[in-house]
Amino acid sequence: LPVIRAQSSPDYVPDAKFYKVEAILRPWRIPKVASALLKMGIRGVTVSDVRGFGAQGGLTERHAGSEFSEDKFVTKVKMEIVVSKDQVESVIDKILREGRTGEIGDGKIFLVPVTDVIRVRTGERGEKAERMMGGRADMINF
Ligand code: ATP
Ligand code: GLN
């Protein structure tokens, strides 16, 4: 499978210091993606089991009314990763590299501007709160 890169980022992305990379991916690809992210110093990741439908699977109406059959929802994993702006593209590239099979159902990535980060333990905000000890910024600067 040839490696692809994300196309260059569009100019309509609102400017923020932090972004949430929200990726809906194939469950069995998550270990690959997670270990690759860890290796690049991305230590803060949240995952949830989700179900959805996209091109891969549809929602079918059961009756003419309001009931929907849910058996066409496909099991996916949502990965949420908040990073500083300068780390967004490398995280996206890594997810493409490790999450992609090239088949329908590989998923989608949403990029969401994040206005602030607060560390509950310390009350720190902004860059201080977003930075993680031994994280990517540390890896790159030392
Ligand atoms: P502390 O320094 O107090 O240990 P921390 O910043 O390392 O705080 P944790 O309290 O270990 O953060 O994080 C709790 C949970 O928050 C993690 O299990 C993860 O789900 C989520 N999380 C933390 N940082 C991020 C991040 N940058 N992106 C996404 N999820 C994160
Ligand atoms: N930007 C953080 C750092 O370099 C890492 C964020 C994350 O692990 N999600 O410390």
Side-chain angles (χ1 to χ4, degrees):
L1 183 70
V3 170
I4 60 163
R5 284 179 60 87
Q7 294 166 16
S8 55
S9 59
D11 55 13
Y12 53 75
V13 176
D15 195 40
K17 281 178 102 166
F18 317 108
Y19 290 85
K20 180 168 73 171
V21 178
E22 186 175 310
I24 316 290
L25 301 169
R26 296 186 192 274
W28 60 276
R29 282 271 162 165
I30 296 302
K32 252 169 83 72
V33 175
S35 66
L37 289 173
L38 254 182
K39 228 175 264 172
M40 67 187 282
I42 300 302
R43 311 186 52 203
V45 174
T46 301
V47 295
S48 341
D49 296 321
V50 297
R51 295 180 319 133
F53 59 92
Q56 184 188 12
L59 172 93
T60 42
E61 278 190 60
R62 187 149 276 168
H63 317 280
S66 52
E67 267 195 9
F68 295 96
S69 134
E70 289 186 356
D71 42 36
K72 291 272 181 65
F73 284 106
V74 181
T75 299
K76 298 285 177 188
V77 169
K78 179 167 72 176
M79 217 173 201
E80 295 170 278
I81 311 148
V82 173
V83 294
S84 53
K85 182 185 187 173
D86 60 298
Q87 297 175 346
V88 167
E89 292 303 321
S90 27
V91 167
I92 290 174
D93 278 347
K94 194 61 76 178
I95 294 171
L96 291 187
R97 186 183 288 260
E98 304 295 340
R100 197 171 82 97
T101 70
E103 304 291 320
I104 284 172
D106 276 351
K108 215 162 251 188
I109 299 174
F110 305 110
L111 187 56
V112 185
V114 168
T115 53
D116 206 356
V117 178
I118 297 102
R119 178 172 276 126
V120 172
R121 180 171 58 85
T122 57
E124 291 166 305
R125 294 186 82 132
E127 201 178 324
K128 274 197 171 137
E130 190 275 334
R131 282 278 197 102
M132 297 189 63
M133 216 196 275
R136 184 164 177 79
D138 284 351
M139 277 175 54
I140 283 171
N141 294 321
F142 298 105

